[in-house]
Amino acid sequence: MPSSDSSSAPLAGEFDFVVVSNRLPVDRITDENGEPSFRTSPGGLVTALEPVMREADGAWIGWTGSADDHAEPFEHDGIHLLPVALSDTDIELYYEGFSNDTLWPLYHDVIAPPAYHREWWERYVIVNQRFADRAAEATAEGGTVWVQDYQLQLVPKMLREKRPDLTIGFFNHIPFPAYGIYSQLPWRTQIIQGLLGADVIGFQRTADAGNFSRAVRRLLGYQAKGTVIDVPVEAESDVASAKHRISSVGRAGGDKLVRTVVAKAFPISIDAARYEELARRPDIQARAKEIRDGLGNPKVVMLGVDRLDYTKGIGHRLKAFGELLADKTIEVEDVTLVQVASPSRERVQTYQTLRDEIELTVGRINGDYSTISHTAISYLHHGYPREEMVALYLAADIMLVTALRDGMNLVAKEYVASRFDNDGVLVLSEFAGASDELRTALRVNPHDIEGLKEAMLQATAMTKAERSRRMRAMRKRVQENDVARWSSSFLAALATPSDDLALPKANLRMQTRSEARQDERTEAREIEETQ
Ligand code: G6P
C-alpha cells in the first residue's frame, strides 16, 4: 500500500548522506478517496540506496514530477525526501530543453540532432544551482553527497564551492560520448568543470570513462592517467578541508597542489533477487500463461520493452520483424511480437515524431499480416507495474533489446534475472552497456537489418540445451553484480582517499606525452570511422 507521512524529517543540515537526482524516487498518485499521496517508483536506484539511506540517516533531493510543486520535506517508506520545485519555464527550458533535447541526443551519439539554445543553457545553470543549494543546506558537516545523472552535471562544482568539507560523488547513467561528438557542445568546458567538482565520477562503461578523461585532457590540459585525474587546486578552502584528497606533485616551475578525482566504470544493475522472487510466485506464473493464451498461444513470443525513445532502436526491430513476415520466413500464426513502449517526454518534438513513426509502422505491419485470430504486433503504449513486467518476461521466448545507444539497459538484466527456469533467449545490441557483461546473449548490430533478422531466426531455432547454457552464464553475472554491489562499490571508492589509487608520480611527465600520443591515435581512429 502506498503510504505517505509528513513532517518527521530532521532539520536541514543534519543528513550525513544525501542523494541528489532530477526526480525523487516517488510518484504522486491519487488514492481511492481522491487524496494525493506518493508511491515509491519502480526504479532500482531506490532499492539499492535504501539500506544505505536508513543506516546513514540519509535524505533524497529531487523534483516530484509536477510543475510548481512546493511540497515541504516529508518522509516516505523511511526515507527523507526534500523536494525541489520546478516551474513551467524550468521544465520547458532545463528539463525538456537542455536535458532532453540537447544533452540526451548529444550523449547518445547524435542519433537525433541536439538543439543548442543559450536560453536553455542559462536555465540549466539556474536549476543546477537550486539543487546544489538544497544539498548544501541539507548535508551535515563532513557528509557525503551522491549526485545522479546528466540533468545535474554542474552540481558537484557548485556544491564544492559552497561546502568544501563534503565528499561528493557523481554517477552518469547514460553514455559519455567520444570527444569528436562531445566537442560540439558550446558549454563543453563548463560541464567538464562541473563534473570535476566530484571526488569520484562513475560511468556505465570503461569506454565512457575514457571518453571523459580524454575530454578533460583536451579541454583543460589536466593530467589524466588511468582512472585518476589531477585537478589543480585553486581555493584555499579546498586545501584546508579536503586534505585527504590532495597531494603535492612536482612540476617544472614549482610545486603545485592537485586534488585527485577518480573517473571510472561502475556498471549499474538491478535487484536480481527481487526479480527472481517475483518470477517464482505462482500468481505471476499464472499471469504469464494467461498472457500467452491471450495472444492465441503462438509457438514463439518475442518481446520488446522500452521507454518510447529514439535511442532504443524500436523502428529497426519492427523493420526486421516486418521483413521476416514479408519473406514468409515466419508466419503470423507462429510468432507474435509484444512491444511495450512506455510514454516518455511527450512534450519534446522528437519524441512526438518518433511516436507517429512507430505507430504508423505497427499499423502497417498489423494491417498487412494480422489475421482475425492472430495479431502480428501487440503494441502497448503504457507503463506497467513490476509484477506485470515479470509475467511478460516469463511469457517471452525471445527478448529483443536493439538499442542504437544505451548507457546500460536494465530491461536486459531484468529479463535474465526473471528467467530462473534458465530458458529464454536474449537478443542484445552491442551498443547497450549491458553487452559488456552479458557476453552469451545473441549480440547484434541493430543497424544491420539482415544480421538482426538472422539473430531473430537463430533465437527461434535455438535448442533448449544452448538456451540454458547461455542463460545460466548471464544469470550468474547478474546475480553476482547486483545493484547492491554497484552502490557499495561506488561508495567504497568514494570513501577511499584517492592517493591510494594514484600512480607513481615520478612518471608523470613521460606519461603525459604518451597520453597525448594515445589521444591522437584515438582521434585519428574516430575520424577514420566516421569517413
Ligand atoms: C533515463 C535517465 C534517467 C531518467 C529516465 C526517465 O533512464 O538516465 O535519469 O530519469 O531515463 O526519463 P525522465 O525524463 O522521465 O526522467
Side-chain angles (χ1 to χ4, degrees):
M1 269 301 282
S3 71
S4 175
D5 2 292
S6 53
S7 75
S8 49
L11 294 174
E14 289 187 8
F15 299 106
D16 290 317
F17 179 62
V18 173
V19 173
V20 190
S21 63
N22 177 53
R23 282 181 192 275
L24 284 171
V26 290
D27 297 318
R28 235 186 217 293
I29 53 162
T30 309
D31 67 18
E32 49 288 3
N33 307 318
E35 289 297 313
S37 71
F38 287 94
R39 181 178 51 204
T40 304
S41 21
L45 198 55
V46 62
T47 331
L49 297 178
E50 216 175 85
V52 194
M53 283 279 181
R54 287 184 209 285
E55 204 183 298
D57 194 18
W60 200 308
I61 293 173
W63 172 47
T64 61
S66 314
D68 281 317
D69 187 348
H70 294 272
E72 288 298 311
F74 61 102
E75 200 184 312
H76 178 76
D77 282 350
I79 298 180
H80 302 292
L81 301 175
L82 314 180
V84 171
L86 295 186
S87 67
D88 275 328
T89 311
D90 295 333
I91 294 170
E92 189 189 333
L93 306 180
Y94 146 80
Y95 169 70
E96 291 164 351
F98 199 76
S99 296
N100 290 322
D101 214 5
T102 303
L103 293 172
W104 182 269
L106 181 74
Y107 281 32
H108 287 87
D109 288 356
V110 299
I111 296 167
Y116 302 116
H117 296 296
R118 283 163 284 185
E119 229 196 335
W120 292 2
W121 161 253
E122 281 154 21
R123 188 59 62 144
Y124 184 80
V125 176
I126 292 169
V127 173
N128 270 244
Q129 188 67 59
R130 194 178 305 154
F131 277 82
D133 291 349
R134 194 76 187 91
E137 69 190 32
T139 315
E141 180 73 26
T144 297
V145 178
W146 191 0
V147 184
Q148 310 287 328
D149 230 355
Y150 63 101
Q151 303 94 343
L152 300 173
Q153 292 175 95
L154 303 177
V155 171
K157 177 167 188 264
M158 290 170 165
L159 188 54
R160 179 167 298 282
E161 276 164 7
K162 285 204 150 183
R163 294 289 306 274
D165 58 301
L166 302 179
T167 299
I168 304 169
F170 180 91
F171 186 77
N172 196 51
H173 291 250
I174 68 173
F176 195 91
Y179 186 70
I181 288 176
Y182 180 74
S183 57
Q184 283 186 17
L185 186 66
W187 308 279
R188 59 196 187 186
T189 308
Q190 290 96 313
I191 294 272
I192 294 279
Q193 279 166 333
L195 290 168
L196 286 172
D199 296 295
V200 176
I201 309 170
F203 296 92
Q204 300 282 26
R205 306 175 96 160
T206 307
D208 298 319
N211 288 342
F212 175 74
S213 295
R214 265 192 296 282
V216 170
R217 284 198 289 266
R218 292 293 306 267
L219 293 168
L220 300 171
Y222 297 168
Q223 308 269 18
K225 177 65 191 170
T227 60
V228 179
I229 300 170
D230 289 346
V231 178
V233 168
E234 279 142 29
E236 279 300 310
S237 54
D238 251 9
V239 183
S241 53
K243 278 203 186 78
H244 66 295
R245 292 188 185 276
I246 291 183
S247 45
S248 179
V249 179
R251 291 201 186 159
D255 277 2
K256 193 161 188 187
L257 283 176
V258 294
R259 188 169 62 80
T260 47
V261 172
V262 172
K264 63 177 281 218
F266 297 88
I268 200 170
S269 195
I270 56 162
D271 183 355
R274 176 81 185 120
Y275 277 87
E276 173 156 353
E277 205 179 291
L278 288 172
R280 286 184 182 275
R281 256 170 51 183
D283 59 327
I284 291 183
Q285 290 175 22
R287 175 67 190 140
K289 183 167 181 311
E290 195 176 275
I291 290 171
R292 286 192 77 109
D293 290 345
L295 295 168
N297 273 314
K299 287 190 194 127
V300 178
V301 175
M302 296 188 183
L303 174 67
V305 173
D306 311 85
R307 266 187 318 101
L308 188 41
D309 194 295
Y310 50 82
T311 59
K312 304 291 184 182
I314 303 171
H316 294 64
R317 189 183 311 161
L318 295 179
K319 189 171 182 55
F321 185 70
E323 286 190 15
L324 288 175
L325 285 168
D327 302 346
K328 297 201 178 303
T329 324
I330 59 172
E331 296 291 338
V332 74
E333 289 78 19
D334 297 333
V335 187
T336 298
L337 170 61
V338 178
Q339 177 62 56
V340 175
S342 52
S344 185
R345 305 173 190 166
E346 290 184 285
R347 297 205 313 188
V348 179
Q349 179 60 50
T350 331
Y351 287 77
Q352 293 169 3
T353 310
L354 174 79
R355 182 174 178 193
D356 290 346
E357 282 167 11
I358 296 296
E359 294 184 355
L360 182 73
T361 309
V362 169
R364 285 217 173 122
I365 294 175
N366 279 342
D368 286 344
Y369 304 107
S370 295
T371 63
I372 296 286
S373 49
H374 293 277
T375 305
I377 302 169
S378 175
Y379 172 79
L380 306 153
H381 185 239
H382 305 291
Y384 290 98
R386 212 186 311 200
E387 287 75 6
E388 182 72 355
M389 293 316 305
V390 173
L392 277 164
Y393 294 146
L394 290 178
D397 304 292
I398 300 167
M399 180 82 216
L400 300 173
V401 176
T402 57
L404 306 176
R405 180 56 78 196
D406 208 333
M408 177 53 63
N409 197 290
L410 293 178
V411 164
K413 292 189 172 181
E414 289 171 10
Y415 180 65
V416 167
S418 304
R419 298 309 301 243
F420 67 91
D421 57 353
N422 293 314
D423 208 348
V425 183
L426 175 64
V427 173
L428 178 59
S429 165
E430 62 190 71
F431 303 117
S435 78
D436 279 2
E437 294 174 83
L438 305 179
R439 311 296 295 185
T440 54
L442 280 187
R443 300 198 327 148
V444 290
N445 167 7
H447 296 282
D448 171 9
I449 301 295
E450 282 308 317
L452 188 50
K453 285 161 70 181
E454 273 162 35
M456 287 158 86
L457 290 178
Q458 192 187 339
T460 53
M462 195 181 283
T463 63
K464 171 108 176 67
E466 188 177 351
R467 298 200 297 264
S468 166
R469 181 184 62 77
R470 288 174 181 266
M471 185 55 82
R472 272 176 209 278
M474 292 192 285
R475 286 181 58 72
K476 187 163 182 289
R477 182 77 192 209
V478 172
Q479 281 162 345
E480 282 170 5
N481 290 346
D482 68 355
V483 75
R485 179 132 177 215
W486 168 78
S487 60
S488 63
S489 64
F490 185 93
L491 293 172
L494 204 48
T496 310
S498 42
D499 264 6
D500 296 357
L501 304 164
L503 294 150
K505 303 285 183 196
N507 292 331
L508 275 179
R509 297 197 64 77
M510 233 173 57
Q511 286 164 352
T512 306
R513 274 198 297 274
S514 79
E515 280 159 25
R517 277 198 296 274
Q518 178 64 36
D519 281 351
E520 281 160 19
R521 277 196 294 272
T522 307
E523 263 158 50
R525 212 178 39 240
E526 278 169 18
I527 290 165
E528 269 170 32
E529 278 168 11
T530 54
Q531 279 167 354

